[in-house]
Amino acid sequence: MHDYEIEVLRHIYLHKQLRATSLHELYRLLSNKKIETSNISNRLKKLLDAGVVARNEELIHDMSKNFVRYSYRLNSAGLEVLVFLNIIRKESIKTYKTNAHINKFPNLHSKVASTITNKIVMDLIKQEITFDFCRGNNHYLLGNDSYTRKTETTGFIIPDYVIETRDTIVPIEIDTGTQRAHIIKQKIEKYIVQARSKEFNLRNIHVVFIVVDNSISDTFETNRNRRVYSLKATFLSGFDLPGNLHFYAVNALHSIPLISYILNPKNNLEEIEKDFICEDFMELYNERYKQHFIQVEKPAIAKDLFHAVYTYEVNTIKYDVYLIYRVVGNLRDYQKSESALSYLSKRLERNKRFILLYVYDNATSALADVTTATDASITIATSYLPTEDNEDLVVYKHTSLLTKKAVKGVIEY
């Protein structure tokens, strides 16, 4: 057995079982070479015949045809290999074998959770980020284990998966749109309790609610922005969060780069660094489109709401641009934007126009993030600071709550 196949077995163990498509992707990545699909299938058959893995077969009834979908779990020989190599404890074998999810195909929620997390894990491996991951119920602080039972928290949290580094814990909450608001709010309250406990007070917790879309399963729609908006506006708002606890709501398609962003220490920006990014953006904007926006002081009573403020007067009309640096899906950024919108809407004047501009780290985030609701009196737009000299600087103007229009050049006021 190849060394990388041991890691494949470990991943199957952590997921409990993996769909064949996910397993093939993992094989190619961990082997660090191009392997034909037929060669992976042949290798899996050898492991199957040797009792290292077992295969479940699910008959799928499609409108046009019937087909079989395979998933793989560890068999006795595979579990013994991991015990022999001290990757798992011997006592874990019984738990693994008797788990109800092993002897049947998992439900839709478990399937998509495993598929999404496998994609996230593979992306982190590609980027050579050092991390650990496990299913939520096996996590030593958030799962259903001896520590959690002894604490006086408000009950188990048990996210779907947990990815962590030395300083950061990322619980993954898969949202298929069926969980009721009061259940989500109860879970948030439990995270708040845990974040304030001594076990977590020196670590950052970034809870990512991933809304499943058709990038993961054809069962779901392509655009799930309304669900993302509901999570931000209805479920996640209104809580007093400790400084080390952060919430995100994002479509599955954009969850992979988000978690990579969270786990990269260089992205842990101070507020003054966000100020600089917004200032650099406006300097480039002026240069690219021959504009003359001039930087002014932030309003004294709202200086914490904005990262930069610029102004420009044309034909007796004064245009003020208020910039906020945002991370896609971030709840704190969403709440700041809501407060900023409220602040500006109370200060409208006849000959003054307000532009609320959200700046992101890249074009994909600027276009993808589900942002503050539009206001008829205030232009709301998103953009990003290009990293290449020949890269376009595009502003996306909001035309409705969930749609944006690309504008190359001067923002249409």
Side-chain angles (χ1 to χ4, degrees):
M1 186 178 295
H2 301 292
D3 289 344
Y4 68 83
E5 287 182 307
I6 301 300
E7 187 65 6
V8 170
L9 297 185
R10 187 177 78 88
H11 279 250
I12 297 174
Y13 173 81
L14 291 172
H15 284 283
K16 288 192 167 64
Q17 63 175 288
L18 271 176
R19 287 175 58 176
T21 51
S22 297
L23 196 53
H24 278 233
E25 292 173 352
L26 193 61
Y27 244 96
R28 291 189 181 94
L29 175 65
L30 295 177
S31 66
N32 200 28
K33 56 186 177 182
K34 293 182 179 180
I35 307 179
E36 295 295 331
T37 299
S38 58
N39 292 337
I40 297 175
S41 298
N42 291 338
R43 187 59 190 164
L44 287 173
K45 186 177 186 308
K46 289 181 179 179
L47 295 178
L48 187 66
D49 294 341
V52 175
V53 299
R55 186 174 71 186
N56 288 336
E57 300 180 3
E58 181 183 21
L59 182 61
I60 305 297
H61 300 282
D62 189 78
M63 292 181 64
S64 58
K65 60 180 178 179
N66 296 331
F67 62 95
V68 176
R69 178 178 290 157
Y70 298 111
S71 68
Y72 289 82
R73 58 182 173 85
L74 294 187
N75 215 339
S76 298
L79 291 165
E80 291 292 348
V81 167
L82 296 185
V83 170
F84 178 76
L85 295 173
N86 293 319
I87 294 173
I88 65 172
R89 296 174 299 174
K90 191 165 187 174
E91 309 88 76
S92 302
I93 293 181
K94 183 178 180 181
T95 304
Y96 184 92
K97 285 185 173 181
T98 56
N99 189 291
H101 291 288
I102 297 177
N103 298 316
K104 62 179 182 181
F105 271 85
N107 59 29
L108 179 62
H109 183 103
S110 297
K111 288 178 185 176
V112 295
S114 176
T115 301
I116 292 171
T117 305
N118 187 55
K119 290 179 179 294
I120 292 169
V121 165
M122 289 195 300
D123 181 67
L124 296 176
I125 292 172
K126 289 176 187 176
Q127 298 191 51
E128 300 182 346
I129 295 175
T130 302
F131 69 97
D132 291 317
F133 84 100
C134 66
R135 291 179 68 93
N137 61 324
N138 294 329
H139 193 265
Y140 60 101
L141 291 177
L142 299 175
N144 181 9
D145 66 2
S146 57
Y147 164 79
T148 315
R149 287 193 291 271
K150 289 177 183 177
T151 61
E152 296 180 358
T153 59
T154 54
F156 307 136
I157 298 178
I158 311 183
D160 290 289
Y161 283 85
V162 180
I163 297 174
E164 63 183 311
T165 61
R166 184 180 63 180
D167 302 316
T168 305
I169 297 177
V170 182
I172 294 174
E173 297 282 354
I174 301 300
D175 183 86
T176 56
T178 59
Q179 201 164 42
R180 296 181 181 275
H182 74 278
I183 299 297
I184 295 175
K185 289 181 178 180
Q186 286 175 6
K187 181 164 280 196
I188 293 168
E189 289 166 355
K190 294 174 185 178
Y191 275 117
I192 292 172
V193 172
Q194 285 284 34
R196 288 176 174 152
S197 67
K198 63 180 181 180
E199 288 78 17
F200 282 98
N201 60 8
L202 295 178
R203 303 183 74 182
N204 287 309
I205 309 171
H206 295 260
V207 184
V208 182
F209 282 84
I210 299 176
V211 177
V212 184
D213 54 31
N214 79 340
S215 69
I216 302 300
S217 172
D218 292 338
T219 307
F220 298 89
E221 298 174 359
T222 303
N223 191 326
R224 301 292 311 284
N225 284 349
R226 290 195 179 277
R227 179 61 178 179
V228 174
Y229 181 76
S230 293
L231 282 169
K232 285 184 177 182
T234 308
F235 305 153
L236 302 183
S237 298
F239 291 94
D240 180 21
L241 302 181
N244 63 331
L245 180 60
H246 311 267
F247 285 99
Y248 304 78
V250 67
N251 281 310
L253 180 63
H254 306 295
S255 62
I256 298 171
L258 170 62
I259 291 177
S260 172
Y261 180 94
I262 291 170
L263 292 178
N264 190 334
K266 75 175 186 180
N267 294 324
N268 187 19
L269 301 176
E270 300 289 342
E271 290 302 308
I272 192 169
E273 294 176 284
K274 297 176 183 178
D275 291 353
F276 292 154
I277 291 173
C278 290
E279 291 167 7
D280 288 345
F281 171 85
M282 285 306 297
E283 183 178 331
L284 182 62
Y285 184 84
N286 278 336
E287 178 186 319
R288 289 276 185 95
Y289 298 117
K290 311 303 179 187
Q291 296 298 295
H292 304 282
F293 284 99
I294 300 170
Q295 187 172 13
V296 295
E297 291 290 325
K298 301 174 189 176
I301 62 173
K303 63 181 181 180
D304 293 336
L305 289 180
F306 307 107
H307 291 115
V309 182
Y310 284 73
T311 189
Y312 180 38
E313 189 169 328
V314 182
N315 298 327
T316 72
I317 303 295
K318 187 178 181 183
Y319 297 96
D320 289 345
V321 181
Y322 292 82
L323 294 93
I324 300 176
Y325 181 84
R326 291 178 43 143
V327 175
V328 63
N330 186 283
L331 175 64
R332 290 181 190 274
D333 292 345
Y334 173 84
Q335 291 173 324
K336 177 182 281 191
S337 300
E338 285 285 291
S339 298
L341 188 60
S342 176
Y343 170 83
L344 295 177
S345 63
K346 295 174 183 176
R347 287 160 177 79
L348 294 169
E349 298 176 18
R350 183 175 181 180
N351 292 326
K352 183 178 285 190
R353 303 289 184 270
F354 290 146
I355 302 166
L356 186 56
L357 180 60
Y358 307 138
V359 180
Y360 293 82
D361 67 314
N362 60 63
T364 301
S365 295
L367 185 58
D369 199 14
V370 179
T371 56
T372 312
T374 54
D375 186 297
S377 305
I378 300 171
T379 298
I380 300 175
T382 63
S383 194
Y384 57 96
L385 187 62
T387 56
E388 303 293 337
D389 291 339
N390 60 350
E391 185 178 356
D392 285 336
L393 193 160
V394 181
V395 175
Y396 300 99
K397 179 186 174 184
H398 287 221
T399 55
S400 69
L401 173 61
L402 299 177
T403 57
K404 299 167 186 169
K405 174 185 176 183
V407 181
K408 286 187 180 181
V410 182
I411 302 173
E412 298 176 1
Y413 305 111

